[in-house]
Amino acid sequence: MAQLFLFFIVVVFVAVFGLLMAPLPSNAIPAGFQATLTNKGIDYARQVAIPIIQKDLENLSIPDISGDASTPVGHIDYYLTNIKATSVNLGTSSIVTSTSGITASISGVSIGLGADWSYREKSWPHVKDHGSADISASSISLSINIVTSLSSTHEPQIAINQCSSNIGHLDIKFHGGASWLYNLFTSLIADVVKKELNKELCSEIETSLVAAGNKALASLPESITLDACSLIDFEFLEAPQTTSSYLLTNHKGEFFQVTQPSKEAPFSPPNLPNPVNPTRMFYIALSDYLFKTAGWVYAQCGVLDFFVQPGDVPPGWPVSLNTNSIGKLLPNLEKLYPNMPMDLWINASTTLPLDVVITNNSATANIAFVMSAYVVTPTDNKTEVFSLGLNVSATAEAWVSSDHFLHMNLTFLNVEIDVLNTNIGKIDVSVLDSVIQLFCKSILLPGLNKAIGKGIPLPTIDGVSFVNSQVLFNPGYLVIDTDISYNPSILFPKVSYDGVNL
């Protein structure tokens, strides 16, 4: 629902904010994921919400009104029934955020209503009559203060802290029967209608905004399962914050194993800074912590482990996976194990397999592996001959697709090689450098890019699309800055992520 933009859109990555990001404020909290809806975005939400609110008010009805009054024909009981809106004009509107919440104001509102009237004389001969009435309310002003909170189950909630409605002018015109009689005391009935209309306007807004809004907010995913190994936790860490410039939400933003959803990574998230003087509608910040936990989780699951056999080596490679070929670089290998095939086990480190370093304008991924080499004897036994530590460095590009997925691509930079163990004597790693560089560039990195090809889904609301998104790099985090558009008739299709509907 469009009103939901008043505090969240939900669901990644942005450019150097030089002017947009100030030094770390004291109220920043550790979070892996942060979403910010700016005043520009909130004002866009106002523009979208007004026609929807107007449509809701066109269905406005007021409870029946009854009373008694003294008239030239005696004391009567009167009734106004079937009081329903016939026209609505919402005039001009504005919206302001502050630390006390969000205040929406509408002025110059006019509402036309139709009703049925009837009366009955209290005493004999109990004269009675009926007809119709036109009610015109104008110069109406509305003011609504919306506050945000977090439930005990960490679900975001909105509530109306204050709602005031003031009708500047109200006119009633009665038709049919003894309408001349009612027209004699319209001021009396007008006061009653004003009171009821003011009450119903606030009630209608609270129903459409709070009830529908909280229902939709409760449906926002707290976590998204990506595959059999991992899920991303987007749990709210605190109630949404409002300032004079934006509405901000902080989220856990951490990968977990599906089978161990409470097992935390062995490191902590940094503080994410809040935006200052933002110029776009919507910002999403992702800490390097989110990516590090992704690497840690996939390493725990074994997804980053590779088993390479002789048949996996591409044709035309300068080196084959056997002791005769590798022995040209490591003579002792061929002497000890002549003419034998070899296997390679490449295992990601289980402590910090992925270290993401994000700086101004760039991001580098450092991936730690252990490469263990085995010879396969004629009896099909495998003997480890050496193991190497590989620290692979790659630059990372990032972009957001139209279906709201963050995608990344790694480009090989370099690999650092250390000897961890050897059973064939001393190894000079410099002789292996060119071969391992080629292996990482031609096999390892393409395999990793294929594995991350689906991207990371960003939680959003149906009907929302990003406009002119940018992915920018800042020290320690990525930000997506974007404008947004909303069209309730163009809803994104359900996306299946390894069989899980998002």
Side-chain angles (χ1 to χ4, degrees):
M1 208 169 177
Q3 296 97 313
L4 291 182
F5 286 139
L6 294 174
F7 91 89
F8 187 76
I9 297 207
V10 215
V11 212
V12 209
F13 314 132
V14 216
V16 178
F17 275 159
L19 295 177
L20 294 179
M21 289 293 169
L24 189 67
S26 59
N27 63 340
I29 69 168
F33 181 96
Q34 184 186 86
T36 303
L37 187 63
T38 68
N39 279 354
K40 182 180 179 182
I42 292 172
D43 190 66
Y44 173 74
R46 174 194 62 79
Q47 297 173 42
V48 172
I50 286 298
I52 295 178
I53 294 174
Q54 176 161 326
K55 188 174 181 180
D56 287 344
L57 290 178
E58 286 172 356
N59 298 317
L60 177 71
S61 61
I62 297 177
D64 293 347
I65 297 172
S66 62
D68 59 80
S70 295
T71 73
V73 297
H75 208 69
I76 64 170
D77 292 320
Y78 65 86
Y79 307 90
L80 279 178
T81 59
N82 298 321
I83 310 171
K84 297 179 180 179
T86 57
S87 64
V88 176
N89 188 324
L90 290 184
T92 59
S93 60
S94 64
I95 193 164
V96 176
T97 57
S98 68
T99 54
S100 61
I102 301 168
T103 300
S105 301
I106 309 174
S107 60
V109 178
S110 60
I111 299 177
L113 304 104
D116 296 324
W117 64 263
S118 62
Y119 81 88
R120 183 177 185 273
E121 188 180 8
K122 281 184 175 288
S123 58
W124 191 85
H126 302 298
V127 175
K128 58 183 179 180
D129 203 353
H130 64 88
S132 62
D134 293 324
I135 303 171
S136 175
S138 59
S139 299
I140 304 172
S141 60
L142 289 163
S143 180
I144 310 151
N145 182 250
I146 304 165
V147 293
T148 61
S149 62
L150 208 61
S151 72
S152 59
T153 56
H154 278 220
E155 291 179 346
Q157 296 178 327
I158 57 174
I160 302 296
N161 184 44
Q162 182 179 3
C163 178
S164 62
S165 171
N166 181 61
I167 300 173
H169 180 73
L170 189 139
D171 181 66
I172 305 177
K173 187 69 175 177
F174 297 97
H175 308 282
S179 54
W180 60 270
L181 178 64
Y182 271 28
N183 287 329
L184 292 177
F185 56 97
T186 55
S187 60
L188 171 66
I189 299 177
D191 288 341
V192 178
V193 173
K194 273 187 181 183
K195 179 181 177 182
E196 291 298 322
L197 181 55
N198 280 328
K199 184 170 69 175
E200 287 303 313
L201 283 172
C202 281
S203 176
E204 184 72 20
I205 290 172
E206 183 164 357
T207 299
S208 62
L209 177 61
V210 175
N214 283 330
K215 182 179 179 180
L217 288 169
S219 71
L220 285 171
E222 183 176 295
S223 65
I224 296 177
T225 300
L226 301 182
D227 47 43
C229 171
S230 74
L231 60 85
I232 308 177
D233 190 335
F234 290 111
E235 178 186 358
F236 280 75
L237 296 177
E238 61 178 0
Q241 304 173 30
T242 54
T243 73
S244 60
S245 301
Y246 53 78
L247 184 149
L248 180 144
T249 61
N250 282 304
H251 306 257
K252 198 169 186 69
E254 179 178 348
F255 276 71
F256 284 88
Q257 293 182 69
V258 170
T259 57
Q260 300 185 71
S262 61
K263 185 178 180 180
E264 298 270 358
F267 32 86
S268 301
N271 288 348
L272 278 174
N274 296 347
V276 174
N277 299 324
T279 59
R280 305 294 297 279
M281 291 183 182
F282 191 46
Y283 292 86
I284 297 176
L286 290 175
S287 166
D288 55 12
Y289 173 76
L290 182 143
F291 302 103
K292 291 177 182 179
T293 61
W296 183 78
V297 164
Y298 281 113
Q300 301 299 310
C301 293
V303 174
L304 300 181
D305 297 342
F306 301 89
F307 181 54
V308 184
Q309 296 180 293
D312 298 323
V313 178
W317 253 54
V319 176
S320 300
L321 202 51
N322 59 63
T323 57
N324 288 352
S325 182
I326 302 293
K328 293 181 172 60
L329 303 174
L330 302 174
N332 281 350
L333 175 65
E334 187 177 13
K335 288 179 183 179
L336 294 171
Y337 303 97
N339 196 29
M340 293 184 187
M342 298 181 67
D343 291 340
L344 297 178
W345 272 103
I346 302 170
N347 304 97
S349 165
T350 55
T351 52
L352 183 61
L354 175 64
D355 185 21
V356 178
V357 179
I358 305 175
T359 60
N360 285 339
N361 299 314
S362 67
T364 303
N366 300 306
I367 313 162
F369 294 98
V370 174
M371 176 188 283
S372 301
Y374 296 83
V375 295
V376 184
T377 66
T379 58
D380 208 30
N381 290 323
K382 295 183 180 181
T383 301
E384 182 179 334
V385 288
F386 62 84
S387 61
L388 305 175
L390 307 181
N391 188 11
V392 182
S393 297
T395 58
E397 299 176 84
W399 68 95
V400 177
S401 57
S402 59
D403 57 354
H404 302 157
F405 274 67
L406 173 71
H407 295 276
M408 302 193 77
N409 186 75
L410 302 175
T411 301
F412 177 71
L413 282 179
N414 188 35
V415 58
E416 295 179 358
I417 309 168
D418 294 309
V419 178
L420 301 180
N421 181 58
T422 173
N423 295 316
I424 58 172
K426 186 177 180 180
I427 294 177
D428 180 2
V429 295
S430 65
V431 301
L432 298 174
D433 186 74
S434 60
V435 173
I436 293 180
Q437 295 264 0
L438 181 62
F439 169 79
C440 291
K441 184 176 181 179
S442 304
I443 297 178
L444 187 59
L445 263 295
L448 288 174
N449 281 328
K450 183 177 180 180
I452 64 176
K454 286 185 176 180
I456 298 175
L458 306 177
T460 57
I461 294 171
D462 279 342
V464 175
S465 58
F466 294 165
V467 179
N468 299 324
S469 303
Q470 299 182 82
V471 177
L472 306 174
F473 298 96
N474 297 268
Y477 63 99
L478 293 175
V479 180
I480 299 170
D481 68 355
T482 185
D483 289 329
I484 52 178
S485 66
Y486 177 77
N487 191 333
S489 65
I490 303 175
L491 301 182
F492 288 111
K494 286 289 184 184
V495 177
S496 178
Y497 202 112
D498 278 6
V500 178
N501 287 328
L502 305 181

